[in-house]
Amino acid sequence: MSQEPELIELRELACTPRTGPGRARLERANALRIAPPGTTRNSEKQLAPGRGHRFQPAGPTTHTWCDLCGDFIWGVVRKGLQCTYCKFTCHYRCRALVCLDCCGPRDLGWEPALERDTNVDGPVEWETPDLSQAEIEQKIKEYNSQINSNLFMSLNKDGSYTGFIKVQLKLVRPVSVPSCKKPPSLQDARRNPGRGPGPGSVRRRTSFYLPKDAVKHLHVLSRTRAQEVIEALLRKFLVVDDPRKFALFERAERHGQVYLRKLPDDEQPLRLRLLAGPSEKTLSFVLKENDSGEVNWDAFSMPELHNFLRILQREEEEHLRQILQKYSCCRQKIQEALHACPLG
């Protein structure tokens, strides 16, 4: 990867549904049938399973997407598996198909979000005042006067403005790209916004770890949302993972302490950049895995939510069956002990 930051320009992005028709069923089918690239019926030619992983059941707050098949890890009891070293996360059923070697313990990249006052356990207030057109124009002039590069902001005739934001990629888990040699076409990008190539190529995926602290500059509009920034970054890297697997964070240093805030999907990063000024210590953007434990259920389609309810019902029935079987076995052993005891 080139050391020079690469510029990505985001034009006006049309609102499109996050999941295409049949998306949930496609991912489920892929999860059941996916095979490592190059796998054939000849066992001698099959890729060796990934080495070095130490998989453990994922924690109860883990709500994320499988790093192998890309499907959401549904369930409450069986939350999937996660490597304690490289944080590779997958379904139980996908464990045997993992062929990516463990890269060893990785720095999570998280800096402590310390409170301004250790006696206060409340959230930090982030002020984002609404600016008039005259104030925006003045802010842009002040911003441009403070930078020593050509990454200026400019005011448009319609009242919006354009500028550059820098995003640092601090991804711990691997990302997946299509293993096919053919690059995605423009029609594929339109059919699958934010998901890279078309769904047909998702059946063959290649996983790898991105270089630590990769940086990308993006040319965006003032109305470009955080979710659109994430989708643009994934398209640039040809990543086929679900954009909801990732989150854009705001990092700030205040009063000698570091604060991190997960940006909502509809947050406007360039507006935050203008309000904070060009200083990276005052404000910077970081792309991380969306592993905060919070799930935006509104972002899922109705078939996906119904599927989650079915999984919950199956887990509940299985748990109840195990409890009944356990106590039935205990009852039988007690009765056998009573019959075996001699009468006193």
Side-chain angles (χ1 to χ4, degrees):
M1 181 175 295
S2 176
Q3 299 296 329
E4 292 295 329
E6 187 172 353
L7 301 182
I8 308 174
E9 184 170 2
L10 297 188
R11 298 289 185 179
E12 186 70 34
L13 299 180
C15 295
T16 54
R18 300 179 184 227
T19 55
R23 174 70 182 178
R25 293 296 303 168
L26 173 65
E27 295 285 22
R28 179 63 61 185
N30 291 341
L32 296 175
R33 299 177 183 176
I34 188 172
T39 299
T40 64
R41 294 185 178 181
N42 188 349
S43 59
E44 296 180 356
K45 296 182 179 180
Q46 290 183 354
L47 294 179
R51 296 171 296 179
H53 293 287
R54 184 183 177 186
F55 284 102
Q56 299 287 343
T61 59
T62 301
H63 301 285
T64 188
W65 284 258
C66 178
D67 291 328
L68 180 78
C69 70
D71 197 7
F72 190 74
I73 301 178
W74 302 97
V76 175
V77 179
R78 293 172 64 86
K79 294 293 297 181
L81 297 170
Q82 187 174 71
C83 177
T84 57
Y85 299 139
C86 67
K87 305 305 175 184
F88 192 107
T89 307
C90 64
H91 296 94
Y92 278 83
R93 63 171 180 265
C94 294
R95 168 64 183 93
L97 301 177
V98 176
C99 59
L100 180 66
D101 291 341
C102 180
C103 63
R106 291 172 64 86
D107 180 14
L108 294 180
W110 285 97
E111 297 178 73
L114 303 177
E115 300 291 343
R116 186 177 287 123
D117 185 344
T118 55
N119 295 324
V120 178
D121 195 23
V124 179
E125 295 184 0
W126 303 82
E127 299 178 359
T128 54
D130 293 329
L131 302 178
S132 64
Q133 194 65 21
E135 290 174 329
I136 291 176
E137 187 174 357
Q138 181 61 30
K139 278 280 188 182
I140 292 176
K141 290 181 180 179
E142 294 176 0
Y143 182 94
N144 291 339
S145 65
Q146 298 177 45
I147 61 175
N148 53 4
S149 63
N150 59 348
L151 305 180
F152 298 103
M153 286 195 188
S154 58
L155 186 64
N156 301 323
K157 294 181 179 180
D158 61 356
S160 64
Y161 50 96
T162 58
F164 295 87
I165 61 172
K166 184 173 74 172
V167 180
Q168 187 178 25
L169 282 67
K170 284 195 172 185
L171 300 178
V172 179
R173 291 159 52 189
V175 296
S176 298
V177 298
S179 61
C180 60
K181 297 181 180 179
K182 181 181 177 181
S185 63
L186 182 60
Q187 290 76 15
D188 292 331
R190 289 175 179 174
R191 286 195 297 265
N192 300 275
R195 299 181 185 274
S201 60
V202 182
R203 295 184 182 275
R204 291 291 181 268
R205 301 157 66 101
T206 300
S207 298
F208 66 96
Y209 296 95
L210 279 176
K212 184 180 178 181
D213 295 343
V215 173
K216 290 294 180 182
H217 283 81
L218 293 90
H219 191 207
V220 299
L221 290 165
S222 56
R223 53 178 170 266
T224 301
R225 300 177 296 111
Q227 183 64 24
E228 294 171 324
V229 170
I230 295 174
E231 292 172 356
L233 287 170
L234 299 186
R235 281 198 302 271
K236 181 60 182 177
F237 286 103
L238 304 182
V239 174
V240 295
D241 292 308
D242 196 302
R244 293 171 294 184
K245 176 183 173 182
F246 309 93
L248 193 63
F249 287 81
E250 176 188 74
R251 180 189 181 278
E253 296 182 20
R254 301 182 182 181
H255 308 291
Q257 301 182 26
V258 175
Y259 297 92
L260 288 169
R261 181 176 72 102
K262 177 183 172 182
L263 297 183
D265 291 345
D266 57 353
E267 188 79 79
Q268 298 169 336
L270 188 62
R271 180 169 176 267
L272 298 176
R273 177 82 279 166
L274 178 62
L275 292 173
S279 173
E280 290 292 323
K281 288 188 176 182
T282 304
L283 174 77
S284 61
F285 297 106
V286 182
L287 183 71
K288 295 176 177 286
E289 285 87 0
N290 187 15
D291 291 340
S292 61
E294 301 176 359
V295 180
N296 181 17
W297 298 109
D298 294 335
F300 289 91
S301 64
M302 291 302 294
E304 289 175 318
L305 295 177
H306 282 300
N307 184 49
F308 184 41
L309 291 178
R310 286 193 295 269
I311 292 174
L312 286 178
Q313 183 177 358
R314 286 200 301 266
E315 287 189 350
E316 182 180 4
E317 293 173 352
E318 175 63 20
H319 190 57
L320 179 60
R321 186 191 65 81
Q322 292 177 0
I323 293 177
L324 293 175
Q325 182 179 4
K326 174 182 176 181
Y327 284 99
S328 176
C329 182
C330 290
R331 183 185 300 108
Q332 181 180 355
K333 290 182 178 180
I334 292 174
Q335 289 174 351
E336 292 175 354
L338 288 173
H339 290 301
C341 289
L343 297 178

